[in-house]
């Protein structure tokens, strides 16, 4: 074989350790050169075969391979690449020394470990199995985009890497100038990376920003970037508050086992003492559970003026869980108890403050055709009691008093839905069932006429309701493209009532009441499609008629889940426009509308709908007030409803606009508007929302309500941005909430400072001001300082 045949040599061996395998390859190649002692080479190969490891794999690529018999060296030269046991070494030259059992690589060396770590240097010495090594002037890049730069480094026992005079940082973008130092880095005399313990230790370290040291750390330890769970201190956070004083959180994470852990946080506060916070998490094979608790013994309780907030002991507990009981069944809960209403507002840095005021427990099962959920709710509100004599109702507690007692305990709420897989009468048949039971300790009543006529948001006592509904429909399309959808439904309700205020609230004095509502109807659609050069458009008239008897027992039954009446295009073609089961729409109603869609090939999309509803026979459910009377200003209370319209626009330039409006039936004045717009244009990201609701005197809203909410973010340079937001009450000409800030973000560092004001809280302060400072270092952690109630 000629010398040219060995250019781009590529030989596989599955025999022996690295040096043995390379020796076998090199000697096999060597025997092909003129003057080589073939018998001696074959004897050497057969001797190596006695020590082979059948599991070792080797691929060697090189322009030239020579073997020095005298010094027992194997030399590969010219774009050398060695693949062994998942590791790769690339260099201009690699020398295998069989006597010292070492591999020496030189010239633009790149060592890629099996775990993805990349080492770059000019010269490196490795043991035969790559478990030990030494290099000078090297750079180590990990798969987590972290980087070590060292004067020299040693690796011992496939486990511990010791870096002398090293730097630790994260990757920067390739577009950055190559000589620009990273924004932050840690410089240390010695960095020890223990891969078995998965920890990185820094000795005599300094934290540098833009190459300048700002903090000296005699000793620093952090988890390996690949570690997701490891015991140790977490990044602290600062607290500044006029009622709490100054404080800093001291969090410690306990990784007790692969399936459970605990986080404890102590926060010393200069005015109130030590705040404690603990959260324990446990994961099972079928689910997970967590238990949290937080609280303190107040040093200065008189700093607080809200109810029960001035007591010595304050705190809260929370439990969350979710378990898969069977293939399609899940049991879960999220339950919170707090000592007083303002606890989470005063101690917003609590780890579980975001769980809100609603506690819930649930059981749910779902398949492709049916679903069953069982839920229970309890409410512990944050709003403080207040005094308002204007809307008090005679014979009942004042409007702003006993707010917690007016909240119901809802247990259970059972929902069941089933869709028949096979057609019934050639159409789709679906069943819906709901059972709801709630208990309230005190009646929630108000009046808009000086107390004479009470209206009820809720009545004390226990109320239970069972509702069953079957819904059938079938769609036909004729040769002209007209769509006809006949439908029918039958609904029945059983009410179980027990209220000491039944007589004064005009509720039925009966303990058991039944109600039924059958209905039949037809929906008609006829889309006209027009295609033109550059897009298409669809114009579709829609008409729907629903015939049914009058609603029964209006004003004699409780109404807790059907108080919200929103009439717009999203509910225009609903068979029953009530939001819940406590009301059942009756009478014959015709709903009509015109739907329009425009789609351009360039990406523009426009969708709009305009229509109204007609009550054409029977008693109008929305004109007859129930115990609350919320339907009388709904836009549906007359035979000819208000007009409703919607518009949605989406452009290919990042601008989206959506709006819903209800216009008065007499003069087309606006009764309700909801509009949202968002835009991304160059460095600007912005959004805006507008809401208008006309006066509703029947429920005590004598003046219109109108608000504007906007937010925007402007990117100043590649990484810098400024942002702000505002919520403005247009009717009363005042700012409800506002805030602004500045931030910096890149691959390894984030920073933001913001200031916010809130005038909507009912905690005794006219304005709540918050200054928020946050800094984040990737792989090291995040910290923040928040100052609340800077009044």
């Amino acid at each position: 074989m000629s010398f040219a045949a060995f250019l781009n040599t590529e030989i596989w061996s599955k025999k022996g350790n690295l040096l043995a395998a390379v020796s076998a390859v090199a000697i096999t190649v060597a025997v092909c050169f003129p003057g080589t002692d073939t018998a001696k080479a074959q004897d050497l190969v057969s001797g190596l075969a006695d020590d082979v490891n059948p599991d070792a794999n080797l691929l060697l690529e090189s322009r030239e391979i020579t073997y020095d018999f005298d010094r027992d060296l194997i030399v590969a030269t010219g774009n050398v690449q060695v693949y062994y046991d998942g590791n790769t070494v690339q260099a201009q030259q690699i020398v295998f020394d069989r006597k010292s059992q070492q591999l020496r690589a030189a010239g633009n060396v790149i060592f890629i470990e099996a775990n993805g770590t990349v080492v770059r240097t000019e010269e490196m010495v490795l043991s035969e199995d790559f478990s030990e090594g030494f290099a000078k002037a090297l750079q180590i890049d990990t798969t987590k985009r972290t980087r070590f730069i060292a004067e020299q480094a040693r690796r011992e026992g496939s486990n511990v890497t010791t870096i002398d005079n090293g730097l630790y940082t994260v990757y920067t973008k390739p577009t950055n100038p190559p000589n620009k130092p990273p924004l932050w880095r840690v410089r240390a005399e010695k960095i020890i990376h223990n891969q078995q313990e998965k920890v990185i230790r820094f000795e005599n370290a300094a934290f540098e920003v833009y190459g300048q040291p700002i903090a000296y750390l005699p000793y620093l330890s952090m988890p390996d970037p690949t570690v997701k769970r490891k015991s140790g201190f977490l990044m602290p956070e600062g607290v500044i508050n006029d009622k709490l004083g100054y404080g800093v959180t001291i969090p410690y994470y306990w990784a007790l086992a692969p399936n459970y852990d605990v986080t404890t946080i102590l926060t010393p506060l200069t005015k109130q003492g030590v705040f404690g916070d603990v959260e324990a998490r446990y994961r099972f094979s079928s689910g997970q559970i967590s238990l949290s608790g937080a609280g303190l013994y107040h040093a200065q309780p008189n700093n607080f003026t809200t109810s029960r907030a001035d007591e010595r002991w304050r705190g809260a507990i929370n439990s969350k869980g979710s378990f898969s009981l069977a293939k399609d069944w899940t049991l879960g809960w999220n339950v919170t108890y707090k000592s007083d209403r303002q606890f989470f507002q005063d101690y917003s840095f609590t780890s579980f403050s975001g769980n809100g005021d609603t506690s819930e427990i649930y059981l749910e099962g779902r398949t492709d055709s049916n679903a069953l959920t069982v839920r229970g709710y309890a409410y512990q509100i944050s709003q403080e009691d207040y005094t308002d004599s204007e809307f008090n109702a005679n014979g009942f507690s004042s409007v702003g008093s006993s707010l917690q007692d007016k909240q119901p305990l809802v247990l259970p709420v059972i929902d069941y839905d089933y869709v028949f897989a096979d057609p019934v009468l050639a159409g789709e048949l679906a069943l819906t069932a709901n059972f709801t039971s709630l208990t309230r300790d005190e009646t929630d009543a108000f009046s808009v006429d000086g107390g004479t006529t009470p209206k009820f948001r809720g009545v004390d006592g226990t109320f239970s309701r069972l509702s069953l509904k079957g819904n059938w429909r079938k769609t036909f399309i004729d040769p002209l493209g007209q769509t006809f959808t006949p439908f029918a439904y039958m609904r029945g309700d059983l009410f179980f009532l027990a209220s000491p205020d039944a007589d004064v609230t005009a509720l039925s004095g009966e303990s058991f009441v039944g109600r039924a509502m059958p209905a039949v109807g037809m929906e008609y659609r006829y889309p006209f499609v027009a295609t033109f050069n550059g897009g298409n458009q669809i114009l579709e008239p829609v008409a729907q008629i629903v015939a049914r008897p009058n609603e029964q027992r209006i004003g004699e039954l409780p109404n807790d889940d059907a108080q919200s009446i929103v009439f717009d295009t999203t509910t225009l073609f609903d068979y029953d426009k009530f939001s819940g089961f406590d009301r059942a729409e009756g009478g014959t109603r015709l709903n009509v509308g015109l739907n329009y869609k425009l789609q351009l090939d360039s990406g523009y999309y426009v969708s709009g709908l305009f229509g109204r509803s007609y009550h054409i026979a029977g008693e109008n459910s929305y004109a007859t007030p129930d115990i609350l009377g919320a339907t009388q200003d709904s836009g549906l209370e007359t035979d000819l409803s208000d007009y409703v319209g919607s518009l949605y626009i989406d452009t290919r330039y990042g601008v989206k606009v959506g709006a819903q409006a209800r216009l008065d039936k007499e003069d087309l004045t606006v009764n309700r508007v909801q509009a949202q717009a968002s835009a991304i244009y160059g460095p600007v990201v912005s959004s805006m929302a507008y809401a208008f609701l006309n006066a509703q005197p029947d429920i005590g809203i004598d003046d219109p309500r109108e608000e504007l909410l906007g937010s925007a973010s402007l990117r100043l340079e590649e990484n810098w941005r400024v942002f702000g937001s505002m919520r403005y009450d247009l009717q009363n000409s005042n700012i409800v909430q506002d805030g602004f800030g500045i931030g910096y973000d890149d691959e390894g560092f984030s920073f933001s400072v913001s200031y916010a004001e809130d005038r909507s809280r009912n905690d005794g302060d006219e304005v709540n001001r918050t200054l928020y400072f946050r800094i984040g270092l990737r792989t090291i952690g995040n910290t923040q300082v928040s100052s609340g109630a800077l009044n």
Side-chain angles (χ1 to χ4, degrees):
M1 185 181 295
S2 65
F3 177 77
F6 295 102
L7 296 179
N8 272 333
T9 302
E10 183 175 316
I11 302 177
W12 274 99
S13 172
K14 296 184 179 179
K15 301 179 180 180
N17 59 29
L18 174 63
L19 292 179
V22 173
S23 300
V25 172
I27 295 171
T28 303
V29 173
V31 299
C32 300
F33 286 94
T36 302
D37 189 339
T38 304
K40 183 176 180 181
Q42 290 174 340
D43 291 341
L44 183 56
V45 173
S46 62
L48 289 169
D50 296 335
D51 300 323
V52 297
N53 178 2
D55 296 326
N57 298 320
L58 171 77
L59 174 62
L60 172 66
E61 294 181 5
S62 175
R63 291 183 178 275
E64 180 180 329
I65 300 177
T66 61
Y67 179 60
D68 187 333
F69 283 92
D70 296 332
R71 293 185 294 171
D72 207 4
L73 299 177
I74 303 164
V75 181
T77 306
N79 194 22
V80 187
Q81 299 187 49
V82 176
Y83 307 95
Y84 178 71
D85 198 22
N87 301 282
T88 303
V89 180
Q90 304 175 24
Q92 291 301 313
Q93 183 184 70
I94 293 181
V95 178
F96 299 93
D97 188 334
R98 298 187 62 228
K99 292 181 180 180
S100 63
Q101 299 290 293
Q102 287 185 337
L103 176 153
R104 183 181 297 274
N108 194 23
V109 181
I110 301 177
F111 175 33
I112 305 175
E113 297 186 57
N115 62 8
T117 299
V118 180
V119 181
R120 292 179 172 86
T121 183
E122 281 302 311
E123 185 173 350
M124 175 183 293
V125 178
L126 294 169
S127 63
E128 61 170 336
D129 58 358
F130 293 178
S131 64
E132 298 182 356
F134 176 81
K136 290 185 177 181
L138 76 161
Q139 174 180 299
I140 304 173
D141 293 339
T142 73
T143 56
K144 299 298 181 180
R145 295 195 300 123
T146 60
R147 175 170 292 167
F148 297 89
I149 300 175
E151 183 179 290
Q152 65 180 27
R154 302 180 303 279
R155 182 180 182 182
E156 301 170 336
S158 297
N159 179 35
V160 179
T161 300
T162 302
I163 296 173
D164 297 326
N165 295 326
L167 294 173
Y168 171 79
T169 185
V170 295
Y171 282 54
T172 57
K173 288 182 178 179
T175 55
N176 288 346
N179 296 324
K180 177 184 177 181
L183 193 148
W184 68 268
R185 61 190 183 186
V186 178
R187 183 187 296 273
E189 289 185 6
K190 184 172 292 186
I191 304 174
I192 302 173
H193 183 190
N194 191 315
Q195 292 177 295
Q196 182 175 351
E197 297 180 3
K198 294 188 179 298
V199 66
I200 301 174
R201 299 182 179 90
F202 301 82
E203 297 180 2
N204 296 326
F207 182 78
E208 298 180 349
V209 176
Y210 285 114
Q212 299 299 318
I214 63 170
Y216 292 93
L217 307 167
Y219 180 83
L220 174 65
S221 175
M222 59 178 286
D224 184 301
T226 63
V227 174
K228 298 186 182 300
R229 302 172 70 256
K230 187 172 181 65
S231 297
F233 286 100
L234 305 178
M235 292 292 286
E237 298 179 0
V239 178
I240 304 174
N241 188 283
D242 62 340
K243 298 176 182 177
L244 309 181
Y246 299 92
V248 59
T249 65
I250 306 173
Y252 191 88
Y253 176 74
W254 309 77
L256 302 177
N259 62 323
Y260 64 91
D261 51 40
V262 176
T263 301
T264 58
I265 306 174
L266 293 178
T267 307
L269 300 168
T270 57
K271 291 186 178 181
Q272 299 300 343
V274 178
F275 184 88
D277 193 330
V278 60
E279 181 179 7
R281 296 164 293 267
Y282 200 105
R283 183 179 294 274
F284 303 86
S285 59
S286 60
Q288 57 189 356
I289 183 176
S290 71
L291 181 63
S292 305
L296 82 167
Y297 181 79
H298 272 160
Q300 301 179 30
N302 293 333
N303 286 3
F304 303 93
T305 59
T306 54
S307 64
R308 296 190 62 188
D310 58 351
E311 297 184 1
R312 285 289 186 179
W313 286 102
R314 295 181 70 187
I317 57 175
N318 169 263
S319 178
K320 291 187 292 186
S322 177
F323 288 90
S324 177
L325 302 181
K327 178 182 177 182
D328 301 312
W329 289 92
T330 302
L331 172 67
W333 66 88
N334 186 350
V335 179
T336 302
Y337 174 79
K338 55 187 178 182
S339 61
D340 58 273
R341 302 182 190 181
Q342 291 292 321
F343 177 78
F344 287 133
Q345 279 69 28
D346 293 334
Y347 296 94
S348 58
F349 55 86
T350 307
S351 62
F352 57 97
S353 63
N355 287 323
D357 302 324
T358 303
S359 295
E360 175 187 9
I361 183 171
Y362 63 89
L363 171 68
E364 58 183 19
R366 297 182 181 275
T367 66
D368 294 337
S369 60
N370 62 83
L372 173 67
T373 62
V374 181
R375 297 180 182 271
Y377 300 93
Y379 306 94
Q380 194 175 8
I381 64 174
S382 298
Q383 185 181 9
E384 292 295 315
D385 288 356
Y386 60 93
T387 301
D388 184 353
S389 59
E390 179 182 359
F391 296 106
N392 290 340
N394 297 334
F396 300 94
S397 63
S398 59
V399 170
S401 65
S402 304
L403 294 181
Q404 184 59 58
D405 293 335
K406 294 175 181 177
Q407 305 305 310
L409 173 66
V410 187
L411 180 70
V413 178
I414 304 175
D415 287 288
Y416 179 72
D417 296 282
Y418 181 81
V419 178
F420 286 85
D422 298 323
V424 176
L425 299 177
E428 179 188 82
L429 179 62
L431 301 179
T432 299
N434 173 269
F435 177 79
T436 300
S437 181
L438 61 86
T439 301
R440 184 182 283 105
D441 291 333
E442 186 159 347
T443 295
D444 187 0
F446 69 98
S447 176
V448 297
D449 60 0
T452 303
T453 306
K455 296 176 180 290
F456 301 93
R457 285 185 286 251
V459 179
D460 70 339
T462 298
F463 300 93
S464 302
R465 175 190 34 75
L466 174 63
S467 300
L468 301 173
K469 181 180 179 181
N471 186 66
W472 176 91
R473 65 178 182 178
K474 169 67 176 177
T475 298
F476 302 91
I477 302 176
D478 71 4
L480 297 178
Q482 299 178 102
T483 301
F484 300 88
T485 304
F487 60 87
Y489 67 82
M490 178 63 192
R491 171 178 165 178
D493 304 287
L494 297 177
F495 288 83
F496 307 88
L497 313 176
S499 170
D501 284 339
D503 295 335
V504 294
T505 59
L507 289 179
S508 170
E510 307 169 66
S511 59
F512 176 81
V513 176
R515 181 179 67 187
M517 179 60 68
V520 294
M522 173 74 73
E523 182 172 294
Y524 169 82
R525 294 174 179 265
Y526 193 9
F528 295 90
V529 181
T531 302
F532 56 90
N533 186 19
N536 62 80
Q537 55 185 336
I538 301 174
L539 187 66
E540 181 184 47
V542 184
Q544 178 193 80
I545 187 169
V546 188
R548 59 208 155 192
N550 297 332
E551 182 182 1
Q552 307 162 35
R553 314 295 289 262
I554 301 177
E556 300 179 20
L557 300 173
N559 177 13
D560 280 276
D561 71 352
Q563 296 184 4
S564 175
I565 305 297
V566 178
F567 176 48
D568 57 22
T569 58
T570 64
T571 59
L572 175 60
F573 295 106
D574 285 354
Y575 302 160
D576 187 328
K577 296 176 176 57
F578 284 111
S579 57
F581 289 92
D582 285 342
R583 294 291 304 272
E585 182 178 339
T588 300
R589 182 168 291 275
L590 173 66
N591 305 307
V592 296
L594 184 64
N595 195 6
Y596 176 77
K597 294 180 181 180
L598 171 67
Q599 177 72 58
L600 301 181
D601 296 342
S602 59
Y604 282 89
Y605 177 78
V606 178
S607 176
L609 176 61
F610 188 80
R612 72 186 308 189
S613 181
Y614 300 83
H615 178 77
I616 57 179
E619 184 179 3
N620 187 345
S621 291
Y622 304 100
T624 306
D626 59 9
I627 64 172
L628 178 61
T631 63
Q632 292 175 280
D633 296 307
S634 63
L636 293 164
E637 68 275 9
T638 57
D639 289 345
L640 300 180
S641 76
D642 285 350
Y643 295 95
V644 293
S646 64
L647 179 67
Y648 177 77
I649 301 174
D650 189 356
T651 76
R652 63 175 181 174
Y653 298 107
V655 177
K656 298 180 181 180
V657 179
Q660 288 274 1
R662 177 162 63 86
L663 308 178
D664 190 82
K665 56 186 172 298
E666 301 291 343
D667 54 11
L668 296 181
T669 56
V670 177
N671 284 327
R672 186 185 187 102
V673 172
Q674 292 174 278
Q676 307 84 32
S678 63
I680 301 176
Y681 187 78
V684 178
V685 178
S686 62
S687 65
M688 183 171 292
Y690 170 79
F692 172 83
L693 182 61
N694 209 349
Q696 295 179 284
D698 288 316
I699 57 174
I701 302 176
D702 295 326
D703 299 314
R705 291 180 291 179
E706 188 176 18
E707 283 193 352
L708 184 66
L709 175 64
S711 64
S713 175
L714 171 64
R715 187 163 297 280
L716 302 176
E717 294 184 359
E718 181 181 5
N719 303 111
W720 287 94
R721 58 187 170 89
V722 293
F723 53 90
S725 64
M726 178 180 291
R727 177 183 169 192
Y728 188 75
D729 184 345
L730 293 168
Q731 184 65 29
N732 297 307
S733 300
N734 62 56
I735 298 174
V736 181
Q737 296 171 331
D738 62 288
F740 61 90
I742 186 171
Y744 175 94
D745 304 284
D746 65 17
E747 307 95 320
F749 177 77
S750 63
F751 162 85
S752 65
V753 178
S754 62
Y755 172 78
E757 295 180 338
D758 188 351
R759 298 165 182 82
S760 64
R761 283 178 54 180
N762 182 24
D763 59 359
D765 292 328
E766 182 178 348
V767 183
N768 291 98
R769 301 177 176 89
T770 302
L771 181 64
Y772 185 82
F773 171 86
R774 179 185 177 276
I775 184 172
L777 304 173
R778 188 168 66 82
T779 76
I780 292 183
N782 301 324
T783 187
Q784 63 188 34
V785 177
S786 62
S787 60
L790 293 174
N791 300 315

